[in-house]
């Protein structure tokens, strides 16, 4: 699948696509999830998880350099053959669809709880599907531009989360490594879901104009996400007590209640409305992964047709499936397990397989 000039993306767009995919629903729950396992030492787990994501990201770009004009769907057919390659491609498509559904329905659930309590889920989703079709039908370059604009548009949002520091308690962080290293290491896997998104390099690398900077770009994207996770987690630790933070499902949103203006009440609703744009940069790339995969498997139809079918299925699901909080949590857990395999285990196995494949091929031809 060769990249077409109309779909070429710049290095900055490549960075913001990956960063936008990473910075999603994890920001809302990560401080609480880390505290439940590692206490206020969870920030160390973020650093370790970030290091893992950077190492795997470098591995992915190294794999893609061998076939710069191919996506993962093409690589699987090359190395695994038509039948097995198609089967694995189908699994990857299911992964993209699972990620899209998880993030979208989590977004809809948050909107229902915090903003539009009485509005049916399918009506809210219908509003989302219009920009999804506009961006999706205009190709990957449109996604890159949207991700870049959204980053600049939302750069003020993390700064506002520093307001609660006026009531910060530094003693909440002390002593460091208070429970030992085992809880910290155990919490690292919790960060893996938040850092998911670097696997987008498997699909968007061929469209990058300056591929020689791909490794640098994906490292920058991971570092941006790492910095975001650290800031939000540290602010939560400094503001809430270790026991208090575990009582809130979305401690990041609870932080916003501290911000008050004489002319505005419930600022968190305004903030959350803007944050919907940030969340859309998470599920839009996974939608592209799903559409590109279905197109590669079926080998017919334009991506617009595949997108329309996927949009129709999403709307149909939203009519008959309105998940509760527990169901949303199960979806996230399922995606987390699938993401652990797809994002961390699969690239390592694929890298070893490619090395062995080239070794035996060279030995056979010698």
């Amino acid at each position: 699948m060769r990249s077409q000039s109309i779909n070429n993306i710049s290095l900055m767009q490549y960075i913001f696509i990956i960063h936008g995919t990473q910075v999603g629903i994890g920001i809302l729950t990560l401080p609480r999830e880390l505290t439940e396992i590692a206490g206020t030492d969870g920030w160390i787990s973020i650093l370790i998880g970030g290091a893992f994501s950077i190492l795997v990201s470098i591995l992915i770009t190294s794999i893609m350099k061998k076939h710069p004009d191919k996506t993962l769907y093409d690589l699987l057919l090359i190395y695994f053959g038509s039948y097995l390659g198609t089967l694995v491609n189908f699994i990857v498509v299911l992964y993209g669809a699972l990620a899209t559904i998880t993030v979208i329905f989590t977004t809809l659930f948050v909107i229902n709880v915090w903003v539009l309590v009485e509005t049916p889920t399918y009506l809210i989703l219908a509003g989302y599907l219009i920009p999804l079709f506009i961006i999706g039908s205009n190709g990957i370059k449109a996604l890159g531009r949207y991700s870049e604009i959204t980053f600049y548009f939302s750069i003020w949002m993390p700064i506002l989360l520093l307001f609660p520091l006026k009531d910060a308690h530094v003693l909440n962080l002390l002593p460091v490594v208070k429970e030992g290293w085992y809880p910290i290491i155990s919490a690292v896997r919790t960060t893996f879901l938040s850092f998911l998104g670097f696997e987008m390099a498997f699909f968007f690398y061929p469209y990058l104009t300056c591929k020689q900077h791909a490794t640098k770009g994906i490292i920058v994207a991971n570092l941006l996400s790492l910095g975001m996770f650290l800031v939000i987690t540290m602010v939560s630790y400094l503001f809430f007590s270790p026991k208090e933070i575990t009582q809130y499902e979305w401690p990041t949103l609870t932080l916003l209640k501290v911000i008050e203006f004489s002319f505005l009440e419930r600022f968190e609703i305004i903030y959350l409305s803007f944050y919907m744009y940030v969340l859309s940069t998470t599920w839009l790339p996974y939608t592209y992964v799903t559409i590109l995969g279905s197109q590669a498997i079926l080998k017919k139809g334009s991506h617009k047709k595949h997108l329309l079918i996927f949009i129709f299925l999403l709307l149909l699901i939203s009519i008959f499936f309105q998940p509760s909080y527990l169901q949303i949590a199960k979806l996230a857990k399922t995606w987390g397990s699938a993401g652990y395999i797809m994002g961390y285990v699969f690239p390592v196995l694929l890298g070893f397989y490619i090395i062995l494949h080239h070794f035996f091929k060279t030995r056979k031809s010698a």
Side-chain angles (χ1 to χ4, degrees):
M1 187 181 293
R2 291 185 176 275
S3 60
Q4 303 173 0
S5 59
I6 194 174
N7 275 326
N8 285 345
I9 56 176
S10 66
L11 179 62
M12 294 300 290
Q13 291 168 351
Y14 175 76
I15 290 172
F16 292 133
I17 286 175
I18 295 173
H19 170 64
T21 310
Q22 291 178 315
V23 182
I25 58 176
I27 279 183
L28 302 178
T29 59
L30 186 61
R32 172 182 56 80
E33 293 172 343
L34 288 176
T35 306
E36 290 173 347
I37 301 174
T40 54
D41 291 322
W43 62 273
I44 304 177
S45 302
I46 294 177
L47 292 175
I48 299 173
F52 270 105
S53 68
I54 290 174
L55 289 176
V56 179
S57 298
I58 294 173
L59 173 61
I60 291 174
T61 53
S62 299
I63 293 173
M64 299 307 294
K65 284 178 182 178
K66 298 181 182 297
H67 303 277
D69 60 341
K70 308 291 184 183
T71 67
L72 177 63
Y73 295 119
D74 302 308
L75 292 186
L76 293 175
L77 293 176
I78 292 172
Y79 288 104
F80 293 98
S82 178
Y83 294 106
L84 183 57
T86 301
L87 176 61
V88 181
N89 277 342
F90 180 70
I91 295 174
V92 176
V93 170
L94 290 180
Y95 168 74
L98 174 63
T100 302
I101 291 171
T102 301
V103 179
I104 283 182
F105 277 91
T106 302
T107 303
L108 296 175
F109 184 80
V110 172
I111 293 175
N112 268 140
V113 171
W114 287 79
V115 186
L116 304 174
V117 180
E118 300 296 333
T119 307
T121 301
Y122 61 87
L123 286 181
I124 303 174
L125 179 61
Y128 267 99
L129 296 181
I130 295 173
L132 168 60
F133 178 75
I134 294 173
I135 297 172
S137 60
N138 283 284
I140 292 173
K141 175 170 287 219
L143 173 64
R145 289 174 174 173
Y146 178 75
S147 298
E148 185 173 8
I149 291 172
T150 301
F151 176 83
Y152 296 132
F153 179 71
S154 60
I155 201 168
W156 57 274
M157 299 180 74
I159 299 175
L160 279 183
L161 290 174
L162 300 178
F163 274 71
L165 288 180
K166 67 181 188 300
D167 299 315
H169 302 280
V170 181
L171 292 179
N172 288 344
L173 298 176
L174 301 176
V176 179
V177 197
K178 58 181 71 65
E179 300 294 336
W181 283 97
Y182 180 76
I184 295 174
I185 301 301
S186 300
V188 170
R189 182 165 178 171
T190 303
T191 68
F192 285 168
L193 177 60
S194 297
F195 279 106
L196 281 178
F198 57 81
E199 74 274 20
M200 292 298 105
F202 272 133
F203 308 97
F204 297 117
Y205 180 93
Y207 304 97
L208 180 61
T209 53
C210 46
K211 294 181 175 62
Q212 68 274 19
H213 299 305
T215 301
K216 184 191 302 181
I218 203 168
I219 290 175
V220 171
N222 278 283
L223 289 176
L224 282 174
S225 302
L226 174 64
M228 187 80 71
F229 297 145
L230 275 178
V231 168
I232 291 173
T233 302
M234 292 297 286
V235 170
S236 299
Y237 286 169
L238 290 169
F239 182 78
F240 298 110
S241 68
K243 290 184 179 180
E244 184 183 10
I245 194 173
T246 59
Q247 298 174 3
Y248 299 106
E249 298 296 339
W250 302 299
T252 308
L253 293 179
T254 306
L255 280 174
L256 298 172
K257 290 187 174 182
V258 180
I259 304 175
E260 295 180 351
F261 298 98
S262 58
F263 56 89
L264 179 65
E265 293 184 2
R266 296 205 65 186
F267 177 76
E268 71 274 9
I269 293 180
I270 305 297
Y271 191 95
L272 188 59
S273 300
F274 281 97
Y275 190 66
M276 294 301 103
Y277 290 99
V278 179
L279 287 174
S280 67
T281 61
T282 297
W283 54 264
L284 277 171
Y286 284 113
T287 301
Y288 266 97
V289 168
T290 307
I291 301 308
L292 291 175
S294 64
Q295 193 177 10
I297 292 172
L298 297 177
K299 295 183 175 61
K300 63 179 181 179
S302 66
H303 75 282
K304 291 184 180 181
K305 292 182 180 179
H306 290 264
L307 179 61
L308 279 172
I309 294 172
F310 188 63
I311 286 175
F312 173 76
L313 291 175
L314 285 175
L315 191 58
L316 193 64
I317 292 172
S318 69
I319 294 174
F320 297 100
F321 177 60
Q322 298 189 14
S324 63
Y325 175 78
L326 290 178
Q327 290 172 319
I328 290 291
K330 287 181 180 179
L331 264 178
K333 186 176 181 180
T334 303
W335 177 37
S337 300
Y340 174 74
I341 295 173
M342 180 64 192
Y344 295 88
V345 178
F346 176 74
V348 175
L349 295 179
L350 181 61
F352 274 119
Y353 179 83
I354 292 176
I355 292 173
L356 291 174
H357 182 274
H358 283 291
F359 173 76
F360 286 112
K361 186 176 180 180
T362 304
R363 188 174 179 181
K364 185 178 180 179
S365 60

